[in-house]
Amino acid sequence: MAKAVHTHATGDLVQQVLERPRALKKKPAPPQGSATKITLSIDRDVVDWFKASGPHWRARMLDAIRNATDLDKDG
């Protein structure tokens, strides 16, 4: 197995990336009103039921959650 050869140019590039300001490494904040990623524990049988209903099961799960709230109902 051949050893990787590191050139000075490659080392400089790595160093530049590591020294970039932290703010430049972060992704910009999502626009107001967009979706937010969360971690949520849901019973396996519920997830399996949505998956068994076909493609786009996540969208259907979101629809079910929205229907359980007053968010989409006319006031």
Side-chain angles (χ1 to χ4, degrees):
M1 183 175 212
K3 287 187 175 183
V5 177
H6 296 285
T7 65
H8 185 65
T10 303
D12 288 344
L13 179 60
V14 170
Q15 193 61 35
Q16 288 174 11
V17 170
L18 293 174
E19 291 176 352
R20 281 191 306 180
R22 186 172 181 88
L24 294 177
K25 293 179 186 178
K26 291 183 180 179
K27 293 181 181 178
Q32 190 70 340
S34 66
T36 300
K37 286 193 174 217
I38 64 167
T39 299
L40 177 67
S41 295
I42 298 176
D43 293 340
R44 171 55 51 192
D45 58 341
V46 173
V47 174
D48 290 343
W49 185 88
F50 277 99
K51 284 183 174 182
S53 66
H56 311 292
W57 63 271
R58 288 179 182 89
R60 282 191 302 284
M61 186 180 283
L62 176 58
D63 288 342
I65 293 169
R66 291 188 74 79
N67 287 335
T69 69
D70 291 331
L71 294 174
D72 285 339
K73 297 176 183 167
D74 293 331

